[in-house]
Amino acid sequence: MELMNSDRLLSNQIKRRSFLLGTGFLTGLAVTSQLYPALAKSRFSNYPFSLGVASGDPLPDGVVLWTRLAPDPLNGGGMPLRNVVVQWQVALDENMRKVVQRGKVLATPELGHSVHVDVRGLEPERWYWYQFKVGNEVSPIGRTRTAGAFFSYTKQLNFAFVSCQDWQNGYYTAYRHLADEDLDLVVHLGDYIYEYGPQSGGPRQHNSPEILSLADYRNRYALYKGDQNLQAAHANFPWIVTWDDHEVDNNYANLIPEDSQTQEAFKKRRANAYQAYYEHMPLRKSSLPKGADMLLYRRLTFGNLAEFNVLDTRQYRTNQPCDDGLKPRCAEALNPNATMTGSEQEQWLEKGLDKSRSRWNVIAQQTMLAEYNFNSNPGPGVFNVDQWDGYVAARNRLLNFLNQRQPSNPVVITGDIHSSWVHDLKLDFTNPNSATVGTEFVGTSITSDFPIQFIAPVQAALPKNPHTKFFDGAFRGYVRCNLTPQRWQSDYRVVSSIIDLNASVRTLASFVVENGQPGAQRT
């Protein structure tokens, strides 16, 4: 009876694909109760898998499985201060009958009773289903997929990239539609949560003042991850995640906060934020934070078709020049010692690109790489110096490297700016005849706002930026990408509204990059 009650709760909480609902899901729950060996009963005040399940960082032989026990999610989780044994299993079918891996893991109070299971021994480039159990409670069934074997022929890869999901600004209808896409993977480019306190005017509000403590950050993640559409998107595909600024503090740079905190206070805040991020993401133990430091940049390969270089452009960067903001560049913006990535990560990126044997070399990162002069009038250029436009020498080093070493088909995917852009990456942005060394696709937000009053000025400046092939600031959504050995296609998928739970989705624009021909063409 308890299992059936759990099932009814899950059905109400999560809208899933047909393989997760109806008789197949019910059968999966019934089978699960027979497959798991008996444990001492654990009793909870409420359903412990309230935050759903997720998987991430797929390898050819494995994937990370995630959940967090949280019967009282918005009040610290509601778990006792003791270790709890969680069982997990992986199957070849959606009903969890053909189990190929199973095991146990400890959910500890030190990590908010989150679990990160690094499953290995799986077959490359195939779908699996997974589930957790604690006491008599079972989790939703998640679906995941392994990467293609290293350097093996992979005929296509379908993925979407997303960013910027301000809870207060709108509903996650985009995730409901994304969960129904035919994808192998989702890439999240940052601003998974926002740190602000409640703000009036939106359809829903944050659950506390601006967050600072570990408990604050945990409760904020619990608020966001309680959304059924976000849970469905996590449960249907493996994710690759990285952060931007709002996971800690708006526009922070290394140990420099936006606010007037002391460095010691901000270091503690960053440590709290990094720990909560790890606790709520499907990441390997290699990313387990050490105080205020956390290794997040990494590389993932999908056969011989695509390699993802996932960057962290917040933890190691130097301070924004010119006192930050949108303004003419000061001399500091040209400082050769200024960095977005830090020297170690910069060298790691160049070495990986140089050795890559993949057809498409993806740089997954946060702020716009291409130059954009926002001034449509005569006079000095106006630039967003939180973006790479404030780190000109560092950008030039990367673009010169792409020009000199010519890794195969470099494509940059970007979030942060809450609007849609397509850029040709030029060796010299001031010269339209300069070599095109790569392509950048900038995705809009899931919900976060792009101010309406900025749209017309950006459009007016487009003639001054001929390398920019597309801009839209009106719509929210995600970018769906289809990769084959011959071409890359990006479809800008947008929802009709972020305040309508039944909003529709459509393709606003599509762009193609042909193999061996950097730069995007509209289809």
Side-chain angles (χ1 to χ4, degrees), residues 245 249-258 263 266 270 274 313-320 324 339 386 391:
D245 52 340
D249 182 32
N250 179 55
N251 279 21
Y252 85 96
N254 200 315
L255 288 173
I256 302 167
E258 177 190 43
Q263 187 170 96
F266 184 69
R270 197 176 93 167
Y274 283 11
T313 62
R314 286 291 167 187
Q315 185 174 185
Y316 313 104
R317 69 155 73 186
T318 51
N319 197 18
Q320 291 93 342
D324 208 348
T339 177
D386 180 60
Y391 301 79

Side-chain angles (χ1 to χ4, degrees), residues 41-46 48 68-72 75-85 107-114 134 218:
K41 287 187 177 180
S42 297
R43 296 190 178 277
F44 304 97
S45 59
N46 209 332
R68 180 186 168 209
L69 306 180
D72 191 5
N75 293 289
M79 289 293 293
L81 293 177
R82 61 178 176 84
N83 296 344
V84 177
V85 175
T108 68
E110 290 78 12
L111 288 178
H113 290 96
S114 63
V134 59
R218 283 173 172 170

Side-chain angles (χ1 to χ4, degrees), residues 410-424:
V411 177
V412 177
I413 58 174
T414 300
D416 178 68
I417 198 169
H418 309 170
S419 44
S420 301
W421 308 68
V422 178
H423 304 289
D424 289 351

Side-chain angles (χ1 to χ4, degrees), residues 474-489:
F475 292 101
R476 317 277 76 81
Y478 53 92
V479 182
R480 181 183 66 194
C481 303
N482 171 256
L483 281 62
T484 70
Q486 291 76 39
R487 72 174 198 165
W488 171 311
Q489 178 165 325

Side-chain angles (χ1 to χ4, degrees), residues 93-219:
D93 65 308
E94 64 197 58
N95 295 322
M96 304 300 294
R97 290 194 178 103
K98 301 175 183 176
V99 175
V100 294
Q101 294 263 16
R102 60 159 56 94
K104 300 176 185 178
V105 63
L106 282 183
T108 68
E110 290 78 12
L111 288 178
H113 290 96
S114 63
V115 298
H116 302 74
V117 182
D118 190 355
V119 182
R120 297 298 176 96
L122 303 178
E123 296 179 14
E125 205 169 1
R126 71 164 298 156
W127 289 103
Y128 290 92
W129 286 259
Y130 62 94
Q131 191 174 35
F132 298 92
K133 183 173 187 279
V134 59
N136 289 325
E137 299 281 9
V138 291
S139 76
I141 297 171
R143 187 182 72 151
T144 193
R145 184 174 175 83
T146 50
F150 291 119
F151 313 125
S152 65
Y153 176 74
T154 300
K155 65 179 181 180
Q156 73 170 351
L157 178 70
N158 294 299
F159 77 94
F161 65 90
V162 298
S163 65
C164 305
Q165 52 196 52
D166 186 350
W167 173 272
Q168 302 191 106
N169 206 53
Y171 297 118
Y172 293 165
T173 313
Y175 277 131
R176 178 166 63 84
H177 292 292
L178 182 146
D180 287 332
E181 297 277 10
D182 181 16
L183 303 175
D184 303 311
L185 180 72
V186 173
V187 181
H188 198 292
L189 297 173
D191 294 347
Y192 192 98
I193 62 165
Y194 280 69
E195 79 281 19
Y196 302 135
Q199 297 174 346
S200 60
R204 50 188 184 180
Q205 288 194 339
H206 279 156
N207 53 338
S208 71
E210 182 154 343
I211 52 179
L212 298 170
S213 69
L214 177 57
D216 291 341
Y217 281 99
R218 283 173 172 170
N219 289 341

